[in-house]
Amino acid sequence: GGMMLTFDEANHKYFDGDVELPSVTILVSILGSDIDESLDDVMDVAADRGTTCHKVLELLLQGETELDYPTMYEPYVDAIRLFLSEHEITPIAIETPIHSAVRGVAGTPDLLCMYDGVLTITDWKFVSQVCKPKVKAQINWYRDMYNESGVFPEQLIIVQFLNNGLYRIYPVAISDTEFLACYEIYKIKTNRYGKGKID
């Protein structure tokens, strides 16, 4: 049957018709966290920073010059401007939900673009620690979903923006290992076992 992907932005949920699809973010969370989750307020601050700075990046990529953001994020915005000045980026899809009909999962890559002339998926991080296995699974899952739709990114890049106005680039190896492991665990966790037995 035809896939009808809808994205409920307010609740960050994906649906195929009325069936909810698991998101890549949730599927890879089993591999760890970017932040110490025991610190709730740190989580909130990091989440707000991420949301705000993602928006700033999106606007700058679209050629906007009028930006409105809290002053405390200035170092991150400096880092974003520096990054954009040092690389040639032609956006193809900004924050565009994609899905896999084969696996019944969905997600929203930060950016599909021509990055210094190479078709690239990029993911932005505004946290002090990048959880490497998790981001590797995440960005490769986006690659796999793009491949399924006939788009073949040649390069995967995580860009970590730092609070000193600088940024760090992590090239990510193309690999199915991590995201497929997450998928297998997800299938086990959601398996409907027979009543009164574990088969």
Side-chain angles (χ1 to χ4, degrees):
M3 181 97 175
M4 258 311 299
L5 182 72
T6 53
F7 179 51
D8 170 2
E9 201 160 352
N11 299 303
H12 205 91
K13 288 182 185 299
Y14 302 88
F15 294 91
D16 171 17
D18 49 13
V19 178
E20 187 179 344
L21 301 179
S23 77
V24 166
T25 312
I26 286 165
L27 289 162
V28 302
S29 62
I30 191 169
L31 293 176
S33 166
D34 295 324
I35 19 193
D36 181 354
E37 286 170 357
S38 61
L39 307 167
D40 283 347
D41 51 342
V42 173
M43 282 280 288
D44 292 345
V45 168
D48 180 68
R49 180 170 70 225
T51 305
T52 303
C53 295
H54 270 84
K55 194 74 201 157
V56 166
L57 242 159
E58 194 176 333
L59 291 169
L60 287 171
L61 285 168
Q62 289 164 341
E64 286 286 334
T65 47
E66 291 300 304
L67 300 175
D68 185 25
Y69 54 87
T71 334
M72 61 180 176
Y73 297 145
E74 193 69 61
Y76 292 97
V77 177
D78 288 346
I80 290 169
R81 290 185 188 279
L82 180 66
F83 167 74
L84 292 176
S85 73
E86 292 181 340
H87 297 275
E88 194 186 323
I89 294 186
T90 310
I92 296 167
I94 303 173
E95 299 260 349
T96 306
I98 56 175
H99 72 276
S100 162
V102 173
R103 294 193 177 90
V105 300
T108 304
D110 288 338
L111 181 67
L112 177 70
C113 65
M114 294 306 292
Y115 178 100
D116 297 335
V118 180
L119 184 61
T120 302
I121 302 172
T122 61
D123 205 74
W124 319 125
K125 298 295 176 196
F126 296 92
V127 287
S128 54
Q129 287 293 308
V130 171
C131 178
K132 292 176 179 177
K134 187 167 91 167
V135 297
K136 186 178 180 191
Q138 179 184 21
I139 201 165
N140 271 287
W141 212 322
Y142 296 148
R143 172 189 58 80
D144 187 65
M145 290 195 283
Y146 270 124
N147 287 354
E148 190 183 313
S149 71
V151 176
F152 299 95
E154 297 164 59
Q155 177 172 265
L156 311 173
I157 285 175
I158 304 291
V159 186
Q160 180 188 24
F161 296 97
L162 306 167
N163 63 0
N164 59 2
L166 302 175
Y167 65 90
R168 204 175 280 147
I169 289 175
Y170 295 92
V172 181
I174 286 180
S175 163
D176 292 347
T177 306
E178 291 79 6
F179 85 81
L180 286 178
C182 293
Y183 186 57
E184 290 306 317
I185 295 287
Y186 169 77
K187 286 195 296 192
I188 291 166
K189 282 168 70 175
T190 54
N191 187 21
R192 296 283 167 257
Y193 292 95
K195 198 170 170 53
K197 60 186 196 302
I198 302 173
D199 46 12

